[in-house]
Amino acid sequence: MSVTGNEEVHVDQETLLDQALDALDEKRGSTREKALSVIIETFNSNMQHQFVEKKFATLLHSCLASIKKGSKKASAKEIALASHAIGLLAITVGCGDNAREIFEESVNTLDEYLTSKSNATKIPPFLECLAIITFVGGNDEEETQRSMDILWRVIHPKLGSNVVAAKPSAPLITAVVSAWSFLLSTLSELKLNSKFWQSSISYLSSLLEKEDRSVRIAAGEALALIFDIGSIQKFSAASESTGDMTQEESKVQESYIHLQGLKGKVKNQVENLSVEAGGKGSAKKDLNTQRNLFRDILDFFEYGDSPEISMKIGGDSLQTSSWSQMIQLNYLKHFLGGGFIKHMQENGFLHDVFNFTPKKRYLGGNEPRMSSGEKRMFKSPNSVQNKARTQLLNKQRLLSEGRNLGHYAANAGDDEA
């Protein structure tokens, strides 16, 4: 199908993408929307390595231009599609220089748009885009913390003394908490004694009381993740027995007792939600999803067990065995939608993220011939994919080293105060 006309023509996907990319410069908004839809569908249906190699920068900046046009020239639909296309582009290129460029060129634009009150109805696609480009292109803990802080401010904005914040909707809270948890899953060794994490746990606990089931599920996953990768500093039993506690030890004791109380409250809430009876108008599927999740969380609190997931990808089995992996898998599956299976089968970046190696199946036992561009991307020791894999492994190593999120916790704690 031609992008700008109604004639049905048979063209290869790269030609179709070229047409769509050209159409992003058209004045008519509906034409740009159609072009973005074609780009998203094509990126979902196949890995567009050759096109990305040639037109990466043009596509990125065309999508950013749609976002920067703002509400006067670009519709909410166009801006949402452009945001999703940027996220898809990041997942397609994987870790590497291109992913860094996507992150660096996009993060400020997304931050500005998310803080604009006039664009509140367009926020959810931006949340997903920010989470994805940070997950792929963010190099270190500080960049991840910045994006998490941007997300948190959407539902906890910085306000003047005479400004009253609009109450966030249930879908917005769900989108923020899910994106925030997705990025949190890349961190480790949280020091939960800080004021920020105590206030975060209290806030997420309050969400477990909300009527909207999607909010409760998102909050439950976030709490399980926090207690899974977080640590609670204990006070010195020896100092307590002698009554010779320093001021610092006294603060640790106070926060330890408070956190244990919070954890006990959350556990009781989790237990109630794991056996909740269906109310009037409640969807049975959603209720079962909630019950199953909170049973897993209860098992985690009582026995330390993490959920194990086994998912069929074609003829292969993808397995996860931690809260972090489960949250990452569910988020990426939601973002990719109909393109999830194709990307899990062919996307080297996702293979590295989940340590997943699908079996190659070719008719006649012959591997298909590769173009010169594909050989440069895959076969060369200095290929884009090999460099991306090295950068991903380095990123994972840095993020897995001991850290306490002190800078982030301090800044966020100031906001809460």
Side-chain angles (χ1 to χ4, degrees):
M1 177 73 71
S2 171
V3 173
T4 56
N6 294 322
E7 301 87 9
E8 289 190 7
V9 293
H10 295 286
V11 293
D12 63 85
Q13 288 191 330
E14 190 168 347
T15 302
L16 189 65
L17 285 170
D18 284 335
Q19 292 178 350
L21 190 57
D22 290 340
L24 293 181
D25 292 326
E26 296 288 333
K27 293 183 178 180
R28 189 183 296 273
S30 59
T31 301
R32 297 195 301 269
E33 291 173 10
K34 185 176 180 181
L36 286 166
S37 296
V38 168
I39 290 169
I40 289 170
E41 181 179 353
T42 309
F43 269 69
N44 270 338
S45 62
N46 276 297
M47 300 297 296
Q48 302 298 331
H49 292 303
Q50 284 187 301
F51 177 81
V52 167
E53 185 182 17
K54 298 174 183 176
K55 306 289 180 65
F56 157 78
T58 305
L59 177 56
L60 171 62
H61 291 99
S62 295
C63 290
L64 286 173
S66 288
I67 296 173
K68 291 176 181 178
K69 284 185 176 74
S71 57
K72 292 183 179 180
K73 294 184 179 180
S75 67
K77 180 179 179 181
E78 179 182 345
I79 295 171
L81 289 169
S83 301
H84 194 79
I86 291 173
L88 269 177
L89 182 61
I91 290 178
T92 299
V93 301
C95 285
D97 294 339
N98 286 346
R100 283 299 300 163
E101 183 175 343
I102 294 174
F103 177 79
E104 292 171 354
E105 294 288 332
S106 306
V107 66
N108 288 333
T109 299
L110 295 173
D111 188 7
E112 291 171 8
Y113 212 88
L114 284 167
T115 56
S116 172
K117 297 177 184 177
S118 62
N119 299 319
T121 57
K122 306 167 189 174
I123 279 178
F126 279 76
L127 301 173
E128 293 181 353
C129 181
L130 177 60
I132 292 294
I133 66 170
T134 304
F135 183 80
V136 182
N139 269 353
D140 54 36
E141 173 190 340
E142 185 175 351
E143 290 176 342
T144 301
Q145 291 166 7
R146 180 195 174 189
S147 292
M148 290 174 68
D149 188 39
I150 293 171
L151 292 167
W152 201 248
R153 282 192 276 112
V154 172
I155 50 178
H156 289 281
K158 295 179 179 179
L159 302 171
S161 58
N162 297 323
V163 180
V164 178
K167 186 177 180 181
S169 65
L172 179 57
I173 293 174
T174 301
V176 168
V177 174
S178 296
W180 186 82
S181 298
F182 176 62
L183 292 182
L184 179 64
S185 69
T186 67
L187 305 179
S188 65
E189 302 217 4
L190 313 179
K191 302 300 183 184
L192 301 185
N193 294 68
S194 72
K195 289 183 179 180
F196 170 76
W197 289 111
Q198 292 179 51
S199 64
S200 298
I201 293 169
S202 294
Y203 173 69
L204 292 168
S205 173
S206 72
L207 296 183
L208 296 181
E209 307 292 342
K210 297 294 184 181
E211 291 185 8
D212 189 274
R213 188 161 282 128
S214 64
V215 171
R216 298 200 296 260
I217 289 173
E221 289 182 344
L223 285 163
L225 180 61
I226 288 173
F227 283 112
D228 185 30
I229 64 180
S231 62
I232 302 176
Q233 184 180 0
K234 298 180 180 179
F235 59 90
S236 170
S239 298
E240 182 190 25
S241 63
T242 61
D244 187 24
M245 295 178 66
T246 65
Q247 184 176 4
E248 185 64 29
E249 287 176 328
S250 180
K251 289 182 180 179
V252 170
Q253 179 186 20
E254 183 179 339
S255 65
Y256 175 80
I257 294 172
H258 180 57
L259 280 166
Q260 291 299 331
L262 281 176
K263 189 173 183 179
K265 177 186 176 182
V266 169
K267 182 180 176 182
N268 289 335
Q269 291 174 306
V270 166
E271 188 169 10
N272 291 335
L273 290 170
S274 70
V275 294
E276 182 185 47
K280 183 179 179 180
S282 63
K284 185 175 181 180
K285 180 180 178 182
D286 293 340
L287 179 61
N288 288 336
T289 299
Q290 175 186 289
R291 285 174 177 168
N292 291 335
L293 171 68
F294 284 98
R295 284 168 186 162
D296 286 340
I297 298 175
L298 187 61
D299 285 343
F300 165 68
F301 277 133
E302 292 185 341
Y303 309 111
D305 296 337
S306 295
E308 295 184 358
I309 295 177
S310 182
M311 179 184 298
K312 284 292 183 182
I313 305 293
D316 301 299
S317 179
L318 169 62
Q319 297 180 332
T320 66
S321 58
S322 70
W323 286 106
S324 293
Q325 287 182 323
M326 185 198 81
I327 287 172
Q328 290 174 15
L329 180 63
N330 287 340
Y331 198 84
L332 289 165
K333 182 180 178 183
H334 165 76
F335 180 80
L336 291 168
F340 173 73
I341 296 296
K342 188 70 174 179
H343 274 264
M344 283 306 311
Q345 288 175 326
E346 299 185 7
N347 190 316
F349 168 71
L350 295 184
H351 296 167
D352 290 338
V353 168
F354 296 107
N355 194 26
F356 174 66
T357 306
K359 298 181 180 69
K360 300 293 184 182
R361 293 179 176 84
Y362 303 113
L363 293 176
N366 295 319
E367 184 174 342
R369 297 175 64 182
M370 303 179 75
S371 68
S372 58
E374 289 171 327
K375 288 178 181 177
R376 286 195 300 273
M377 293 198 70
F378 297 108
K379 297 296 187 181
S380 168
N382 295 319
S383 68
V384 174
Q385 187 180 28
N386 282 332
K387 288 181 178 178
R389 177 179 174 82
T390 300
Q391 289 196 21
L392 174 64
L393 294 175
N394 288 338
K395 175 182 174 181
Q396 291 174 333
R397 176 180 57 78
L398 287 171
L399 291 176
S400 65
E401 291 175 350
R403 60 187 64 122
N404 58 20
L405 294 183
H407 172 75
Y408 175 46
N411 289 344
D414 290 341
D415 293 344
E416 291 293 321

